[in-house]
């Protein structure tokens, strides 16, 4: 398996991991987003809680969840390793750089955006995932919808979530199309399509996420 | 006894090379591994020779002053490379390429060498394609050809306007492959500063590591100089800033004869000088002359008005313009060979018709053909009675497609948009046909020392045709030297590598060190560039496009005086044990100051006009070059006799058995 | 002849690879807008020599944008503010009277500074030596027209082969990655039928050498493509990724 370790330790192999795990997380976000969007049914959280229950108890989903966390960790760890490598490849920095002349700021700031997202994620998991798990293992009934309403009644948390979602937007703006480029998918015919999809995705998903805390905070969701 | 035995093989011209190849002595593979070859220069000739010889199994060391072998100035060649493939079915053949090259060189090149060049030209294209050189292709997938000056067939292979780059990268890749396999040792940022002679043979070099400043001794059973031409004697030329004559000049001073030093090619279409700060000149491809018409104002008053900015070119009507090439050479018009076009431009400017601030520029105007293309396009698109504006707009699109990158380059350099104003051009030094004298084996008069590519004198006579320099560099490196070096090395197999503590190495290194110290210790007041610019001006004014005895003799005196001043008043900052570009330049200019004088001496000696060498005393009534075949059908070969300005002339008679000598006419 | 611009230069001066460097300030007067950027340096250097100071060392050779030797990082961008050109093709008319211009060497672990603005780019040569070629010995090629290559592929290969090896891609990249350079050569040869036999080994060895030289990894910011004086496309990087992953997953070599 020498070749495998060689491949994954090479610069391209490492990027390959980032790309695959990134795309996997992107696909997860779709599920996450649309399940959460059930709150907009405004039925007092009935359907939403059904969905939440399904997601936390179904054995298949439980396995997928483990894979998801593995992917997430891989993405994060690789990102830090790569950031370190890339940092070392220019030990003496320029006195003056003019990055905006040749690239987008968010493309150059994936590490920063990712770190912000990681911080957000810790808060987010503490808010929603940890209580669900505690409830699951202690056998208690857990009302995710009520929890949602409670947390988003706090304006500070709403602000944090909105900031997290903005980070996500920019992270995706670069990440989506970049993942395809890393996989070698760059083609005159299809790349413009991929890029448009990327922009739509980067906007729509975070936008829906962004609506949730606001809608609850403003009292639209009962 | 004269040493000038060209060693041309016996037999008919088309059999010489074939027979030579099958009878030349060989070196067996086991012995090749013990034979060391030093190559100086990594351009087309050097890189291709390095690759080919390493593939054969020789131990090769390559030296180049740039940071990478890929920087050599072959990279800048634009137009293309000739070969007698006859893919276009237009009647080309090896003989025709041979004939065109001899004729283009104004009958001053050696038949045997040129025929061999034409023979191997086809192998070059095959080899380069196999290496992955992306030549231009037709839609059917086969190679595309275009035509070039001085020929009537389409035999030029090209890769957009970057043929030299692609060929050099091909040779560089082949060379790097051998570097990777350990058969070539590559020395970047190293400059050869002398050759080392042991028992009458060249046995190595002294090189300076330009980063540390350390002098190094390197042994080789033979040494190949592939160091290009000496156009930078003129300071301003299309050569790269670092192109220099130091290697060939050091070899010359150690006994290698110099052939035809005065033969310089001045290219007619370069961007004119814009001011004193100018450091080099940029070529605008010869292909532009296919669609551009060259003119100056008919009246001096108009020229004057344009020079002072009171008038613009576009304000002059057709009647007020003098299309002097079309007027003088109705048959070839704007497509006369380079030497003829350059002289005609100089003639007009000297007469006071030049069009830029310095008075040294003529117009290259695309208006006529823009409109012609515009009308064709309008017809194609079914536009009847198109307006003048429409025609111009459509025509510009065609011109843009054909020459867009060149027009952009022009605009970038001059700040003037050539789509709106005609281009200004003026001739500039481009190539040197002269170089170290070599025999059929490419060996100089120093045993074991070879010269390849532009560094030798052999193939282009008094004028080089377009797209032939690349051909010669690669022919010498890939297909000639691998055979001919066997003739010498087969007798050297018993020679063990000589340790570099041999007294000859010690002595040579000492001399080099002394010269470096001398340069650093003058501690005068003038910079290297000051002297280089002065030399360039003398050479350009008096040994440039038009030469005469009086001026040349003045030039010799002026150069001697300048050289004396150089050694008295030069200032080189920094030290010898460091990266020191000023010191590098100083050494090169010191050599130019000697070579420049020899060029003038050679030009004085050659009492005729031929090719790029135009002696004003020897011209026809219409102002055309007048050759003197009875007295000057020879290679002027100079031997250095020690001391200052002490050179002896030897003559290699040129015998034409296969081509009938005729006057060139383009009328 | 003189010009009408006054320029303040801040230039990186560093005695040698071991020394510590710093930005030094120079005023250059009488600058003509027709001067090239390097000619302005020539003028400054002439002055420095006449004042008995050491001139600024910088790499340059052909001065027509093809040799790839010039390498200045000007006001935060490789080869300065204009697109599609090298430093030697940059002219002073691209600046304004009174401008302050900061000039630094390429910065990368794999491109150590030798002196002032000169860096060591031999890493590129070693990458080519690792596999940037087609193994064909001189003399055993078939007739050139025995291989038909579609014009589109030939043109695309040429576009990749137009790389001049200047290193602006590395200099511009926030990760000092050399992927554009390496992928240009990988692409050129992968697009041509002659390059097929060594396709897999080529990309594997070139990428291995690139990593060994200490270049960073690509994060697809596109800065390299934007700053490349020859407009080498990001598509080449995608192609190299494809070639690399394909070679790793499919070749029989362990």
């Amino acid at each position: 398996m020498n070749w495998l370790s060689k491949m994954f330790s090479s610069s391209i192999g490492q990027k390959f991991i980032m790309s695959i795990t990134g795309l996997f997380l992107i696909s997860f976000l779709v599920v996450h987003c649309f399940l959460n969007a059930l709150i907009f049914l405004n039925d007092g959280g009935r359907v939403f809680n059904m969905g939440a229950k399904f997601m936390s108890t179904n054995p298949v989903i439980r396995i997928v969840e483990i894979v998801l966390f593995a992917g997430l960790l891989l993405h994060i760890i690789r990102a830090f390793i790569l950031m370190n490598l890339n940092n070392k490849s220019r030990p003496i920095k320029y006195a003056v750089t003019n990055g905006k002349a040749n690239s987008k700021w968010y493309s150059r700031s994936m590490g920063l955006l990712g770190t912000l997202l990681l911080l957000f994620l810790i808060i987010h998991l503490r808010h929603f995932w940890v209580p669900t798990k505690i409830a699951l293992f202690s056998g208690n009934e857990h009302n995710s919808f009520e929890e949602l309403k409670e947390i988003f009644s706090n304006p500070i948390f709403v602000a944090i979530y909105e900031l997290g979602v903005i980070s996500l937007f920019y992270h995706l703006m670069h990440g989506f199309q970049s993942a395809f480029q890393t996989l070698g998918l760059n083609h005159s015919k299809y790349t413009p399509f991929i890029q448009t999809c990327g922009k739509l995705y980067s906007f729509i998903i975070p936008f829906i996420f962004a609506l949730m805390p606001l809608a609850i905070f403003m009292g639209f969701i009962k | 006894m004269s040493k000038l035995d060209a060693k041309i093989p016996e037999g008919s011209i088309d059999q010489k090379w074939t027979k030579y190849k099958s009878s030349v002595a060989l070196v067996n593979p086991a012995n090749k591994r013990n034979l060391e070859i030093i190559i100086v220069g990594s351009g087309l000739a050097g890189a291709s020779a390095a690759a080919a010889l390493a593939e054969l199994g020789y131990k090769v060391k390559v030296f180049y002053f740039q940071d990478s072998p890929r920087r050599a100035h072959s990279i800048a060649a634009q137009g293309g490379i000739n070969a007698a493939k006859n893919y276009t079915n237009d009647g080309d053949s090896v003989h025709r390429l041979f004939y065109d090259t001899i004729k283009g060189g104004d009958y001053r090149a050696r038949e045997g060498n040129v025929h061999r060049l034409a023979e191997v030209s086809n192998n070059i294209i095959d080899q380069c394609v196999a290496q992955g050189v992306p030549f231009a292709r037709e839609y059917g997938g086969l190679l595309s050809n275009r035509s070039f000056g001085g020929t009537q067939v389409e035999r030029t292979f090209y890769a957009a306007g970057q043929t030299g780059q692609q060929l050099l990268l091909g040779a560089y890749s082949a060379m790097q492959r051998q570097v990777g396999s350990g058969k070539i040792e590559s020395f970047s940022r190293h400059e050869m500063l002398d050759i080392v002679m042991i028992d009458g043979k060249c046995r190595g070099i002294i090189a300076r590591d330009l980063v540390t400043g350390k002098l190094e001794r390197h042994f080789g059973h033979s040494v190949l100089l592939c160091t290009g031409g000496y156009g930078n004697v003129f300071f301003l030329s299309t050569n790269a800033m670092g192109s220099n004559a130091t290697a060939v000049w050091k070899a010359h001073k150690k006994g290698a004869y110099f052939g035809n030093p005065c033969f310089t090619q001045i290219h007619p279409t370069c961007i004119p000088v814009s001011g004193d700060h100018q450091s080099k000149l940029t070529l605008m491809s010869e292909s532009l002359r296919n669609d551009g018409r060259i003119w100056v104002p008919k009246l001096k008053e108009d020229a004057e008005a344009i020079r002072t900015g009171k008038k613009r070119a576009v304000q002059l009507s057709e009647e007020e313009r003098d299309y002097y090439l079309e007027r003088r050479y109705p048959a070839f018009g704007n497509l006369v060979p380079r030497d003829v076009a350059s002289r005609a431009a100089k003639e007009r400017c000297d007469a006071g018709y030049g069009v830029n601030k310095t008075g040294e520029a003529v117009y290259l105007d695309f208006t006529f053909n823009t409109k012609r293309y515009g009308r064709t396009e309008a017809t194609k698109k079914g536009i009847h009675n198109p307006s003048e504006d429409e025609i111009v707009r459509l025509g510009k699109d065609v011109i843009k497609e054909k020459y867009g990158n060149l027009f952009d380059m022009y605009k970038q350099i001059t700040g003037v948009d050539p789509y709106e104003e005609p281009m200004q051009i003026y001739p500039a030094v481009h190539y040197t046909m002269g170089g170290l004298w070599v025999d059929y084996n490419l060996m100089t008069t120093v045993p074991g020392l070879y010269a390849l590519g532009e560094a030798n004198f052999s193939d282009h006579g008094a004028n080089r045709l377009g797209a032939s320099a690349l051909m010669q560099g690669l022919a010498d490196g890939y297909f000639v030297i691998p055979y001919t070096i066997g003739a010498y090395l087969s007798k050297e197999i018993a020679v063990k590598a000589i340790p570099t503590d041999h007294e000859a190495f010690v002595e040579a290194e000492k001399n080099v060190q002394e010269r470096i110290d001398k340069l650093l210790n003058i501690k005068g007041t003038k910079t290297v560039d000051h002297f280089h610019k002065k030399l360039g001006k003398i050479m350009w004014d008096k040994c440039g496009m038009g030469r005469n005895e009086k001026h040349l003799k003045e030039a010799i005196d002026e150069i001697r005086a300048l050289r004396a001043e150089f050694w008295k008043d030069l200032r080189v900052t920094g030290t010898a044990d460091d990266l020191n570009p000023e010191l590098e330049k100083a050494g090169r200019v010191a050599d130019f100051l000697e070579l420049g004088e020899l060029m003038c001496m050679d030009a004085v000696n050659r009492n005729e006009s031929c090719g790029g060498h135009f002696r004003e005393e020897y011209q026809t009534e219409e102002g055309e070059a007048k050759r003197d075949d009875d007295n000057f059908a020879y290679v002027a070969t100079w031997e250095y006799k020690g001391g200052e300005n002490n050179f002896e002339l030897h003559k290699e008679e040129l015998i034409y058995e296969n081509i009938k000598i005729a006057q060139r006419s383009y009328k | 002849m003189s010009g009408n611009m006054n320029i303040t230069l801040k230039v990186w001066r560093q005695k040698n690879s071991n020394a510590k460097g710093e930005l030094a300030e120079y005023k250059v007067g009488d600058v003509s807008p027709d001067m090239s950027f390097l000619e302005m340096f020539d003028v400054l250097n002439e002055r420095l020599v006449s004042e008995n100071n050491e001139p600024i060392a910088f790499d340059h050779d052909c001065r027509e944008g093809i040799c790839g030797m010039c390498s200045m990082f000007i006001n935060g961008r490789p080869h300065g503010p204009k697109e599609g050109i090298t430093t030697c093709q940059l002219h002073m008319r691209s600046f304004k009277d009174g401008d302050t211009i900061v000039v630094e060497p390429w910065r990368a672990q794999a491109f150590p500074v030798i002196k002032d603005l000169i860096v060591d780019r031999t890493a590129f040569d070693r990458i080519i030596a690792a596999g940037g070629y087609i193994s064909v010995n001189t003399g055993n090629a078939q007739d050139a027209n025995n291989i038909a290559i579609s014009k589109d592929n030939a043109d695309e290969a040429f576009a990749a082969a137009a790389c001049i090896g200047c290193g602006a891609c590395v200099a511009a990249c926030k990760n000092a990655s050399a992927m554009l350079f390496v992928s240009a050569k990988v692409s050129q040869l992968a697009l041509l039928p002659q390059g097929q036999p060594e396709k897999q080994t080529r990309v594997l060895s070139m990428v291995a050498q690139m990593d060994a030289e200490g270049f960073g990894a690509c994060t697809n910011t596109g800065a390299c493509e934007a700053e490349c004086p020859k407009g080498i496309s990001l598509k080449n990087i995608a192609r190299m990724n494809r070639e690399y992953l394909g070679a790793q997953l499919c070749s029989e070599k362990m």
Side-chain angles (χ1 to χ4, degrees):
Chain A
M1 295 306 268
N2 177 28
W3 67 273
L4 251 188
S5 69
K6 236 198 279 177
M7 169 175 161
F8 286 121
S9 59
S10 75
S11 53
I12 296 181
Q14 297 193 54
K15 289 297 301 166
F16 179 66
I17 295 173
M18 293 303 291
S19 158
I20 291 291
T21 52
L23 286 173
F24 176 59
L25 295 173
I26 280 172
S27 65
F28 157 76
L29 275 184
V30 179
V31 181
H32 182 19
C33 179
F34 285 96
L35 269 176
N36 283 25
L38 293 174
I39 61 165
F40 294 115
L41 292 173
N42 221 347
D43 56 357
R46 197 177 59 83
V47 182
F48 174 80
N49 273 340
M50 275 165 62
K53 180 132 197 255
F54 172 77
M55 292 305 280
S56 60
T57 52
N58 183 293
V60 178
I61 301 293
R62 296 288 305 282
I63 292 165
V64 173
E65 191 179 19
I66 293 167
V67 178
L68 173 68
F69 267 91
L72 185 64
L73 280 177
L74 208 53
H75 194 79
I76 294 166
I77 292 166
R78 267 298 152 202
F80 278 109
I81 293 174
L82 266 173
M83 252 160 63
N84 183 42
L85 167 83
N86 289 341
N87 232 345
K88 273 203 299 207
S89 60
R90 176 167 295 133
I92 301 171
K93 309 290 175 212
Y94 291 110
V96 179
T97 50
N98 183 2
K100 69 174 185 299
N102 53 40
S103 51
K104 297 272 190 288
W105 73 267
Y106 52 81
S107 294
R108 299 192 304 276
S109 315
M110 288 298 275
L112 174 72
L113 291 167
T115 310
L116 288 177
L117 276 174
L118 177 60
L119 294 176
F120 166 74
L121 200 63
I122 292 166
I123 299 171
H124 180 52
L125 289 178
R126 173 66 194 82
H127 279 160
F128 297 106
W129 183 76
V130 173
T132 324
K133 290 294 137 182
I134 292 170
L136 191 67
F137 288 112
S138 61
N140 294 339
E141 199 59 29
H142 180 75
N143 189 334
S144 300
F145 184 71
E146 286 308 319
E147 192 178 26
L148 205 60
K149 284 200 347 193
E150 189 192 321
I151 285 168
F152 291 143
S153 61
N154 182 339
I156 293 172
F157 287 144
V158 172
I160 288 174
Y161 272 74
E162 294 304 329
L163 285 176
V165 159
I166 290 168
S167 303
L168 179 65
F169 165 71
Y170 283 115
H171 200 74
L172 286 170
M173 278 291 278
H174 176 79
F176 191 99
Q177 50 91 19
S178 173
F180 289 89
Q181 165 80 6
T182 299
L183 291 178
L185 301 169
N186 186 330
H187 191 279
S188 306
K189 283 180 184 155
Y190 310 118
T191 297
F193 175 71
I194 292 171
Q195 282 173 342
T196 311
C197 284
K199 281 177 193 153
L200 285 176
Y201 179 96
S202 314
F203 179 75
I204 293 171
I205 299 288
F207 182 71
I208 296 172
F209 276 129
L211 283 182
M212 296 171 195
L214 278 179
I216 295 172
F217 183 71
M218 318 259 276
F220 294 132
I221 308 288
K222 297 272 188 284
Chain B
M1 188 198 95
S2 172
K3 278 180 169 177
L4 294 182
D5 176 8
K7 299 199 180 113
I8 306 292
E10 294 299 315
S12 68
I13 189 86
D14 54 349
Q15 286 303 309
K16 286 182 197 291
W17 179 235
T18 313
K19 281 200 183 138
Y20 177 97
K21 282 196 289 185
S22 50
S23 58
V24 67
L26 299 175
V27 181
N28 90 27
N31 285 330
K32 281 189 182 120
R33 286 195 288 272
N34 298 321
L35 290 169
E36 298 179 34
I37 300 173
I38 285 175
I39 297 179
V40 186
S42 65
L44 284 180
S48 60
L53 293 170
E55 285 162 12
L56 289 176
Y58 292 110
K59 279 163 80 173
V60 178
K61 286 180 175 178
V62 184
F63 296 82
Y64 42 95
F65 70 82
Q66 299 97 334
D67 68 333
S68 161
R70 63 183 294 156
R71 314 280 186 221
H73 200 53
S74 307
I75 200 120
Q78 297 173 353
I81 177 166
N82 288 331
K85 281 283 194 188
N86 193 30
Y87 283 158
T88 47
N89 195 31
D90 57 0
D92 200 5
S93 66
V94 166
H95 186 81
R96 234 182 248 282
L97 175 53
F98 159 65
Y99 174 81
D100 286 346
T101 308
I102 293 277
K103 179 189 170 197
D106 219 357
Y107 306 96
R108 291 292 174 265
R110 192 192 281 156
E111 274 195 346
N113 287 47
V114 176
H115 199 276
R116 176 178 64 190
L117 173 68
E119 283 176 62
V120 302
S121 66
N122 291 342
N123 304 81
I124 297 172
I125 304 302
D126 299 341
Q127 179 65 25
C128 292
V129 166
Q131 284 171 347
V133 170
F135 283 121
R137 285 177 185 267
E138 304 291 349
Y139 282 100
L142 301 181
L143 293 165
S144 174
N145 289 105
R146 63 183 172 200
S147 56
F148 245 68
T151 64
Q152 291 166 305
V153 293
E154 292 196 339
R155 65 158 73 100
T156 306
F157 295 79
Y158 62 99
Q162 286 150 258
T163 318
Q165 181 200 24
Q166 294 310 316
L167 294 174
L168 181 62
L169 293 182
Y172 159 75
S173 287
M175 175 183 149
Q176 288 306 102
R177 175 176 153 234
Q178 299 301 323
V179 171
S181 69
K183 290 190 202 145
I184 294 179
E185 226 183 314
S186 187
F187 295 84
S188 75
R189 296 191 196 268
H190 275 65
E191 181 166 25
M192 182 203 115
L193 290 179
D194 211 352
I195 60 167
V196 177
M197 302 287 296
I198 296 176
D199 299 333
K201 290 175 175 171
C202 179
R203 290 301 190 194
I205 63 166
I206 303 296
R208 181 167 178 266
D209 179 333
L210 298 180
V211 176
T212 62
K214 263 189 64 175
L215 294 181
E216 297 173 359
R217 306 168 192 169
H218 293 275
F219 165 80
H221 287 88
S222 69
V223 173
L224 275 51
L225 300 184
C226 311
T227 53
Y230 47 91
N232 269 348
V233 168
F234 291 84
F235 184 71
L236 287 181
S237 78
T238 64
N239 285 6
M241 300 303 286
S243 301
N244 68 82
T246 289
V248 291
W249 194 248
K250 300 297 186 199
H252 173 60
K253 293 184 89 171
K254 283 274 171 86
Y257 292 7
F258 211 110
N260 293 333
C262 80
F263 285 167
T264 314
Q265 177 161 79
I266 315 251
H267 198 294
T269 53
C270 300
I271 299 178
V273 175
S274 74
D276 290 343
H277 55 261
Q278 192 99 19
S279 60
K280 81 150 269 159
L281 296 168
T282 303
L283 183 74
M284 288 276 102
S285 167
E286 184 160 304
S287 61
L288 287 172
R289 281 199 279 149
N290 282 306
D291 280 321
R293 295 175 75 196
I294 295 176
W295 64 275
V296 291
K298 257 187 198 152
L299 296 173
K300 273 191 193 170
E301 298 80 75
D302 285 337
E304 175 65 28
I306 288 173
R307 281 200 292 273
T308 50
K310 288 185 193 120
K311 256 192 185 170
R312 288 173 57 211
V314 287
Q315 290 168 318
L316 263 58
S317 70
E318 278 300 302
E319 291 70 41
E320 291 168 320
R321 302 175 177 198
D322 175 16
Y323 295 95
Y324 58 87
L325 284 178
E326 297 169 29
R327 171 169 59 77
R328 285 178 65 177
Y329 309 99
F332 277 69
N334 294 298
L335 278 173
V336 290
R338 292 173 176 178
D339 50 340
V340 178
S342 293
R343 271 199 297 280
K346 176 178 158 50
E347 188 275 329
R348 283 292 82 188
C349 292
D350 287 352
Y353 295 93
V355 294
N356 76 349
K357 273 184 284 184
T358 61
E360 290 194 332
V362 298
Y363 286 126
L364 177 61
D365 195 334
F366 296 85
T367 321
F368 179 81
N369 285 301
T370 304
K371 287 184 184 165
R372 185 168 61 83
Y373 287 127
R375 277 190 288 274
T376 317
E377 283 300 294
T379 315
K380 263 204 261 178
K381 293 200 159 88
I383 306 170
H384 300 292
N385 302 320
S387 69
E388 193 74 1
D389 283 353
E390 213 164 356
I391 289 173
V392 170
R393 188 177 51 76
L394 288 167
K396 269 183 193 165
D397 289 343
V398 178
I399 292 286
K400 193 172 218 157
E401 207 183 301
K402 290 179 86 162
Y403 309 112
N405 61 335
L406 292 169
F407 275 51
D408 291 348
M409 194 154 116
Y410 181 87
K411 189 177 176 192
Q412 186 58 44
I413 291 171
T414 62
V416 177
D417 182 359
Y419 292 104
E420 302 301 326
E421 297 272 336
M423 279 186 186
Q424 293 186 352
I425 52 157
Y426 199 68
V429 176
H430 183 55
Y431 186 89
T432 48
M433 282 73 72
L436 291 182
W437 183 91
V438 291
D439 61 17
Y440 194 71
N441 295 325
L442 303 182
M443 201 200 283
T444 66
T445 47
V446 172
L449 179 70
Y450 293 78
L452 280 65
E454 193 181 348
N456 74 31
F457 86 103
S458 72
D459 293 351
H460 305 297
N463 175 56
R464 179 176 64 75
L465 289 182
S468 285
L470 302 183
M471 172 170 70
Q472 189 216 342
L474 289 180
D476 288 358
Y478 281 137
F479 295 108
V480 177
I481 197 70
Y483 290 92
T484 60
I485 204 166
Y488 177 75
L489 288 182
S490 59
K491 299 191 201 88
E492 299 290 319
I493 49 177
V495 178
K496 294 266 177 307
I498 300 170
T500 54
D501 54 8
H502 185 283
E503 57 182 8
F505 277 98
V506 176
E507 175 74 14
E509 186 187 308
K510 197 174 122 250
N511 291 339
V512 169
Q513 187 62 53
E514 278 171 10
R515 187 174 162 98
I516 290 173
D517 293 342
K518 200 172 157 194
L519 285 166
L520 283 163
N521 286 329
I522 304 171
K523 298 197 188 300
T525 60
K526 306 265 174 39
T527 65
V528 182
D529 278 3
H530 167 84
F531 291 102
H532 197 177
K533 282 180 179 175
K534 276 198 149 176
L535 172 67
K537 186 156 169 47
I538 297 171
M539 294 301 293
W540 180 241
D541 289 347
K542 297 183 172 168
C543 192
M545 275 186 284
R547 305 159 171 184
N548 61 54
E549 190 177 344
K550 179 172 165 288
H551 279 163
L552 286 166
K553 287 190 167 157
E554 284 169 14
I556 291 171
D557 290 340
E558 288 169 29
I559 293 170
R560 285 180 186 170
L562 186 65
R563 195 164 61 222
E565 196 194 335
F566 176 90
W567 287 105
K568 260 207 305 277
D569 200 19
L570 174 74
R571 173 184 291 173
V572 179
T573 50
T575 56
D577 56 359
D578 191 10
L579 180 83
N580 189 343
E582 285 297 306
L583 180 61
E584 294 163 27
K585 281 197 292 185
R588 294 168 193 165
V589 171
D591 293 331
F592 284 146
L593 280 164
E594 295 175 14
L595 170 57
E597 182 183 344
L598 182 64
M599 289 168 72
C600 294
M601 286 171 65
D602 186 42
V604 173
N605 170 69
R606 192 168 281 277
N607 289 320
E608 64 160 351
S609 293
C610 64
H613 170 68
F614 188 75
R615 281 281 299 272
E616 286 152 358
E617 305 97 310
Y618 306 98
Q619 51 180 312
T620 65
E621 278 170 22
E622 295 110 335
E624 302 302 331
K626 209 159 107 189
R627 234 176 38 227
D628 179 355
D629 294 321
D630 294 337
N631 295 307
F632 290 95
Y634 65 76
V635 180
T637 307
W638 300 84
E639 180 189 4
Y640 176 68
K641 302 291 278 183
E644 248 193 272
N645 16 310
N646 194 359
F647 304 94
E648 186 186 333
L649 175 68
H650 304 268
K651 298 173 182 176
E652 182 202 339
E653 297 301 328
L654 290 168
I655 301 152
Y656 292 95
E657 293 168 327
N658 301 280
I659 283 180
K660 204 168 143 277
I661 297 192
Q663 195 65 38
R664 290 196 308 169
S665 170
Y666 298 96
K667 297 231 173 241
Chain C
M1 280 294 255
S2 64
N4 44 18
M5 294 167 72
N6 292 298
I7 299 287
T8 305
L9 282 176
K10 289 186 178 168
V11 184
W12 184 261
R13 300 301 306 259
Q14 182 173 337
K15 180 98 181 89
N16 54 50
S17 51
N18 303 319
K20 247 185 89 128
E22 59 179 12
L23 286 172
E25 193 174 302
Y26 302 94
K27 302 259 185 228
V28 194
D30 267 1
V31 175
S32 154
D34 289 333
M35 276 181 189
S36 75
F37 197 76
L38 295 184
E39 283 166 355
M40 190 240 331
F41 266 75
D42 291 343
V43 169
L44 171 60
N45 275 348
E46 285 287 287
R47 198 187 81 203
L48 289 175
V49 173
S50 66
E51 294 165 359
N52 241 333
N53 289 317
E54 241 195 281
I56 301 161
F58 60 92
D59 263 333
H60 64 110
D61 201 23
C62 79
R63 296 212 177 181
E64 50 187 282
I66 193 75
C67 76
M69 192 121 174
C70 59
S71 53
M72 293 183 184
F73 201 77
I74 302 163
N75 279 348
R77 295 182 70 184
H79 297 306
K82 290 235 160 175
E83 259 129 62
I85 57 168
T86 54
T87 299
C88 64
Q89 295 174 295
L90 177 67
H91 279 67
M92 293 313 294
R93 69 180 77 88
S94 301
F95 297 91
K96 288 196 301 291
D97 183 29
D99 273 0
T100 296
I101 306 172
V102 181
V103 187
E104 298 173 80
W106 284 177
R107 296 266 185 225
Q109 169 79 9
F111 288 168
V113 173
I114 294 175
K115 182 173 187 171
D116 295 344
L117 300 170
I118 295 180
V119 299
D120 179 356
R121 285 171 287 190
T122 47
F124 275 7
D125 290 331
R126 290 189 289 273
I127 294 173
I128 298 295
Y133 48 74
I134 288 170
S135 299
V136 49
N137 278 358
T138 309
N140 58 19
Q142 56 178 330
D143 185 88
N145 261 355
N146 280 354
I147 321 165
I149 303 171
S150 87
K151 185 168 165 37
D152 290 343
N153 274 0
D155 288 351
E156 213 175 330
F158 171 75
C163 166
I164 57 173
C166 64
C169 46
V170 175
C173 177
K174 74 185 242 316
N175 311 320
S177 164
M179 293 246 187
L180 195 66
F181 168 79
V182 181
S183 70
K185 188 49 76 181
V186 167
S187 279
Q188 179 205 339
L189 301 179
L191 280 160
L192 298 171
Q194 304 93 300
Q196 299 311 304
E198 288 167 288
K199 202 167 123 96
Q200 294 182 332
T201 49
R202 176 182 308 117
V203 69
L204 294 178
S205 4
M206 287 181 80
V207 169
Q209 186 64 36
M210 170 180 81
D211 290 348
E213 296 288 349
F215 292 104
C218 175
T219 53
N220 303 326
T221 66
C224 53
E225 181 187 55
E227 298 291 9
C228 174
K230 296 295 154 187
I232 306 291
S233 163
L234 275 185
K235 268 192 184 170
N236 293 306
I237 297 184
R239 187 178 290 107
M240 175 168 75
N241 292 344
R242 212 152 65 215
E243 294 285 331
Y244 180 81
L245 295 171
Q248 281 289 18
L249 297 171
C250 305
S251 82
E252 293 280 355
K253 271 214 185 102
M254 304 303 283

